[in-house]
Amino acid sequence: MQKLYLIKLGEISLKKGNRNAFEKKLKENIKHKLKPYASRITTEKGREYLYVDSDCPDETVEKALSTTFGITGYARSYISEKDLKRIKESASECLDNSAFENKGSFRVAAKRSDKSFPLKSSELEIELAKVVSKRYPDLTVDLDNADYTLSVEIRDKAYIYSNDKKGESGLPVGTAGSGIALLSGGIDSPVAAYMMAKRGMKLTLLHFHAYPFTSEEALEKTKRLAAIIAPYLQGAKLYSIPFLKGQEHIKEKGIENEATLLFRASMMETTERLLKMLNGEAIVTGEALSQVASQTLKSMVFTDSMCSSLILRPLLGMDKEEIIEKAKRIGTYEVSILPFEDCCSAFSPKHPNTHPDLEEMREHYKKLEMDKYIDEALENMSVFSFDDKGRLYAENN
Amino acid sequence: MSLIYLDNAATTKISQRALKAYVGASEEYYLNPSASYKAARMAKERLEEERDYIKRALNADDKSTIVFTSGATESIQSFLLPLAKEKPGEIIATRIEHAATKEMLFSLEAFGWKIKYLKTKNGSVDISSLDELIGKDTRLVLSIHTSNANGNIQDIKRLSEKVRDYDKSLKHRILIFSDMVQSFEKIDIDLKNLDIDGASFSSHKINGPKGIGALYIKRPESFIPFSKGGGQENGLRGGTENLPGIISFAEAIREHEENKREKRERAKLISRTLREGLLNLKARLLTGECSSPYITSFSYKYPSEVTMRMLYDKGFIISAGSACSNNKKGSSEETYRALGYSSEDAKRAIRLSISDDTTLEEAKAFLKALGEI
């Protein structure tokens, strides 16, 4: 016996010529996330039908579907023969596992594509409403704004399901190229990675540290963040790059109030080098315009000028409050605010330059000759691999 | 890599003798000391022997008592909490207390008590500032004895003399309390001479087991305990007595008392070596002359936690004076500020705390490692 889930697609169903490619990727992503349980997905009349091994716990399916981009809604459904008695039994089973409670209002929505079924939709609705009322006598009927809906569709078989759960929408990961998302340990960067993955990008995560000026806990925290977003990213590798020597060099040889910008330029250069190694196409950062000194337009013009790759900043136009709200929903917020920030004030200037002169800065950066520090940092990076369930399955220090 | 432990003010490793005593007592004295049958009386007798022994070790008044608690935090709370039930008055305290005391003072403030703070000078409490604070509403004066932050010793004798002088002009006796956790078995304590009303002690800071401590009460007859229960500890603390813990705690004290002079001299030699070595390395000492030889604090070129990590990687466990995170203010950083040190020093503060097991070679190795970072 298999469990059945009905899956609704959003934007994918609007795609024309390449719809198949999107659907294929989505199916792959879902099936991979459900492993080791066997699953099968069929498409009929714009609906995806997911059949999962009955041993697979409901929570596993829930977790898989609620973290896979490309799904707008899903519902556990129960199949029965097209026979009223059987349909009623399945409706009962469906109610057992539904959110229905004996308080509020409900409706039954029947759809009959098989016109040979003896009852009309409205008659079937009344029959099933009786089932609901018997079990939940205090529920009232409300056809427009019901708290709960029991749906039945008569097609090749009868499909019964209660309220749809909302999916994350977006497009399947792996349909929009690949890139590197910087992950600092703060609130913004996991949200930025989530947002670009939502548009289908396949992401690798990259973290810079300055141990012992930053703590081991800061790296642990970044790993926890990576584990939380990994299911959305369909699994991800986290690269951790030691950059202390580079930072010390900048502090020693650079101009004090430019230190942060010079460091960012060197981070971008390092990221770009890794991006080329990984054949990726874009870099994702969690910058929001003018949130901090190094995120002014002029500062971004400078960092962009030091890097030829496309830099995506999905949070650019968002307020901190909006970002926090998203972080809370994704589940990264609580971890991001833990007090192990990439602290060290040791490297940040007291009065950073917020309006750098582009040409001057470029000159200053070139003079630093960061190449050897970048080479060394890349040689010494560690890799942590997270699967699409958020589990760390390999590390390579 | 074996690590050299220089954070003994946080906790110590239980000694073999104390551990043996604990195990032995767990087997031998498992009966409830407060039970009424004959066989339990042996346990009760042993408990009283240990209580008397600790009283003698502290040179406590005959009429005073030692109440066994779960540790110094409970001792502090037990002494301060009953004040919440009394008509509020004023408490004179220091800003360099252990968190357990600080938190209790905040609680008493909520009950209407007014807390006034003594000044600090050169890393210690300025006892002379008591004159400006003490008044007819003063009910309690408290000060930590040896600072857990920098090891400096507060002059409790002078504090007590001042308070007792003032007492004469009042109709009541002002209570004096001192947290002596970092002093116990590190420097000499003579409770009779100090003439204070309460003090807290802990077992795990002197190589005893965790989960046991003591509260000294000079006048048990006038002490109204907050903790009630089966009438144990002469009605001063409810709950079945932790006899194995008590016996093991007392054993740890006995061990410290043996060859006490030699041990203290050794500790002084190590602390002198550390302090001179630190000055040679251009560290700024945050510990003064009148201090416990077991604690040495200093500030160095990096933020505390960075120094701590660098030295951990070189094999040394030390304590950071502050946590370098923006979200949470490190409480020891606040203590260093309260001791009068600059914010720069407070952010870079490191505390070394040795035990009688620490060797001179280890101290020298530490200085060498510090010089390399």
Side-chain angles (χ1 to χ4, degrees), chain A residues 83-125:
Chain A
D83 166 272
L84 186 59
K85 188 164 169 270
R86 291 284 167 76
I87 291 172
K88 281 182 165 179
E89 281 167 10
S90 291
S92 221
E93 198 189 344
C94 178
L95 289 174
D96 284 342
N97 296 304
S98 73
F100 273 64
E101 277 177 38
N102 195 17
K103 201 181 139 194
S105 58
F106 82 101
R107 67 190 267 256
V108 177
K111 227 187 252 172
R112 191 178 57 139
S113 10
D114 173 8
K115 303 293 178 196
S116 71
F117 188 72
L119 295 176
K120 285 184 198 158
S121 294
S122 56
E123 291 167 336
L124 184 57
E125 282 169 359

Side-chain angles (χ1 to χ4, degrees), chain B residues 262-323:
Chain B
E262 288 87 334
K263 286 176 192 162
R264 302 270 166 91
E265 284 311 311
R266 259 191 75 247
K268 275 181 195 158
L269 173 67
I270 294 175
S271 80
R272 224 176 13 249
T273 307
L274 280 173
R275 291 173 194 184
E276 282 168 12
L278 286 166
L279 290 174
N280 286 338
L281 289 170
K282 305 264 179 304
R284 206 185 337 261
L285 274 186
L286 306 180
T287 300
E289 278 302 309
C290 182
S291 55
S292 158
Y294 291 85
I295 297 178
T296 297
S297 292
F298 63 95
S299 84
Y300 203 53
K301 52 185 170 184
Y302 304 112
S304 311
E305 61 169 46
V306 175
T307 307
M308 193 181 80
R309 286 195 281 270
M310 287 175 165
L311 283 160
Y312 188 89
D313 289 346
K314 287 180 171 285
F316 296 89
I317 298 180
I318 56 174
S319 171
S322 74

Side-chain angles (χ1 to χ4, degrees), chain B residues 130-131 134-135 141 156-174 176 194-195:
Chain B
L130 182 79
D131 299 337
I134 202 161
V141 176
I156 301 295
K157 177 66 186 162
R158 210 175 134 226
L159 180 85
S160 155
E161 280 170 358
K162 275 181 170 294
V163 174
R164 294 300 164 236
D165 266 355
Y166 197 85
D167 272 355
K168 289 170 194 155
S169 64
L170 289 171
K171 283 186 189 127
H172 67 267
R173 177 183 165 98
I174 295 173
I176 304 174
L194 289 178
D195 194 13

Side-chain angles (χ1 to χ4, degrees), chain A residues 152-172:
Chain A
V152 55
E153 291 180 26
I154 309 293
R155 300 146 78 104
D156 56 327
K157 296 216 161 109
Y159 296 92
I160 298 113
Y161 55 95
S162 66
N163 292 27
D164 272 5
K165 295 215 166 117
K166 264 182 109 65
E168 289 289 292
S169 300
L171 295 169

